[in-house]
Amino acid sequence: LGALPDAGHVRQDLARTRVATGDIRGGLTELREARRITASVEPGLRAVGDLALASAELHLALGEYPAAMVLFEEAEASFTEASSLAGQAAAVEGQGLLSLLRGDEAEALGLLARSASLQAQAPRVDPRASSVTRYYLASAQEEVGDVDGARASLEEAREGLASVGDAVGEAAVLSVLGALEARSGAPQTADSLLARGLELLEDRSAPEVRSRLHAERAAILAASGRLAEASEEYHKAVRAVDGPIAGLPMESGLPARMRASDLLAARAGILLDLGEVGEAFLTSERSRARNSLTSISGGRLGIPPGAPAGLVEREQDLRRRLHDLAGATESGGWDPLGLRDAT
């Protein structure tokens, strides 16, 4: 029986890896298998904490924040009872990130500082885990106006990730550091950091990080009047985030879909400034269509008792048709007015 919990841990690690590389569907599959394996034995407190933590991270990736918070808190309770400082730190970090996402920067700052303290007390310091905490801590610091502290935290995070050869993590830090420098009035420094981030990624699958790097570069180029280059960077940013969500149900990966919609809207504005009116209109309509389809298909119809037979099947069929239509907008194939031919 001892091998079963180990297999569960392997599945959890695979789930995290798949989600990190944009394969959310694969992450769900691996996590279901981890739950099945763990349920087949009497798990220890650490195993329970690990599974809750992995589940929380997946819900976070899917944008299901309330469920993620509950699971992070469950994970913290299990790790505390198991006297696992590293586990506690990870669970508290997750809560801090969620606080940051909902706009409570002061709470996030306290939770992330506590996570860093727990990591420092652990018997073994994990450079990667510490770097990720510093990465999130920097966001909270900048939000409360501590720009110098944020810059220092990001540099620490970058050094830590570089020390363990985590190119994707380092690129993610560079995307945030580049954006910080751009907001601080140093666009050349910012662009250099973002370009370095893209170099680090090479052909690695890291869609969210790649999209962010291209989007930040696009904003800098647009601000300097290099509109054609900015349009191309926005296009690359959309393509990067589109691939992993293309095969997902519409109710999954909503943050990524909304991000793609925002990027399309930004590109539409650039195209309009360039005088490419037809393409700007088409791009804008794609953005609006995505927003509408995401809002509609992300809902859930309440089926009342005694409803006519087949109503559930009709709802599911409607969702499938909406998903197909959304796929057409995401691939650029939706052109209801024939503008592509006209231009």
Side-chain angles (χ1 to χ4, degrees):
L1 289 179
L4 287 174
D6 290 341
H9 279 107
V10 169
R11 292 289 182 177
Q12 290 171 43
D13 289 342
L14 284 171
R16 288 189 176 102
T17 300
R18 288 184 182 276
V19 170
T21 58
D23 183 7
I24 300 176
R25 187 184 295 277
L28 284 166
T29 300
E30 297 293 353
L31 196 53
R32 284 194 211 101
E33 183 64 13
R35 285 176 178 149
R36 186 192 67 77
I37 292 169
T38 304
S40 67
V41 296
E42 186 172 340
L45 288 168
R46 288 196 185 191
V48 172
D50 284 339
L51 188 54
L53 187 62
S55 299
E57 290 170 349
L58 189 51
H59 281 290
L60 178 61
L62 291 170
E64 298 166 354
Y65 298 152
M69 180 61 87
V70 170
L71 287 161
F72 277 129
E73 290 171 349
E74 288 180 8
E76 182 191 0
S78 295
F79 286 130
T80 299
E81 196 171 347
S83 300
S84 171
L85 291 170
Q88 284 178 258
V92 172
E93 176 192 284
Q95 295 170 51
L97 176 56
L98 283 168
S99 296
L100 192 60
L101 290 170
R102 68 167 180 253
D104 192 340
E105 292 84 9
E107 181 179 86
L109 198 59
L111 286 166
L112 292 167
R114 182 171 156 234
S115 175
S117 176
L118 286 166
Q119 289 169 357
Q121 297 172 48
R124 287 175 51 195
V125 176
D126 181 347
R128 181 179 282 105
S130 297
S131 296
V132 171
T133 303
R134 293 291 176 188
Y135 173 83
Y136 295 141
L137 182 60
S139 295
Q141 288 170 319
E142 186 183 4
E143 288 295 333
V144 299
D146 184 8
V147 176
D148 290 338
R151 186 180 287 109
S153 292
L154 288 170
E155 289 292 356
E156 286 183 44
R158 179 184 180 184
E159 290 170 8
L161 291 165
S163 73
V164 294
D166 186 344
V168 172
E170 188 180 353
V173 172
L174 285 167
S175 73
V176 178
L177 189 55
L180 176 64
E181 295 298 349
R183 288 190 293 272
S184 299
Q188 290 184 331
T189 300
D191 191 57
S192 176
L193 291 166
L194 297 169
R196 175 57 183 154
L198 288 167
E199 288 175 9
L200 283 169
L201 287 183
E202 294 179 331
D203 58 352
R204 293 177 174 87
S205 176
E208 290 187 17
V209 177
R210 189 180 300 279
S211 178
R212 199 180 314 135
L213 286 162
H214 282 301
E216 294 294 349
R217 287 201 81 193
I220 292 170
L221 289 166
S224 64
R226 296 158 65 183
L227 300 184
E229 293 172 77
S231 174
E232 181 60 24
E233 287 296 319
Y234 274 128
H235 181 59
K236 290 177 181 178
V238 173
R239 282 195 309 177
V241 79
D242 261 352
I245 63 175
L248 288 173
M250 281 297 291
E251 62 268 21
S252 297
L254 293 182
R257 294 184 190 281
M258 296 306 294
R259 174 172 172 74
S261 177
D262 291 343
L263 292 169
L264 282 168
R267 184 168 186 251
I270 297 294
L271 289 166
L272 191 61
D273 289 340
L274 285 168
E276 299 180 23
V277 179
E279 189 64 23
F281 178 77
L282 182 60
T283 302
S284 177
E285 287 302 295
R286 285 179 63 199
S287 173
R288 291 176 60 188
R290 286 177 184 231
N291 275 330
S292 298
L293 291 169
T294 299
S295 298
I296 293 169
S297 63
R300 181 67 63 182
L301 295 178
I303 307 299
L311 187 57
V312 174
E313 288 76 9
R314 284 160 59 192
E315 180 202 359
Q316 291 173 342
D317 180 63
L318 175 60
R319 290 183 186 282
R320 279 193 294 270
R321 290 164 62 190
L322 285 167
H323 180 240
D324 291 342
L325 182 55
T329 71
E330 288 169 355
S331 64
W334 189 64
D335 186 12
L337 302 182
L339 287 174
R340 193 169 280 112
D341 292 333
T343 55

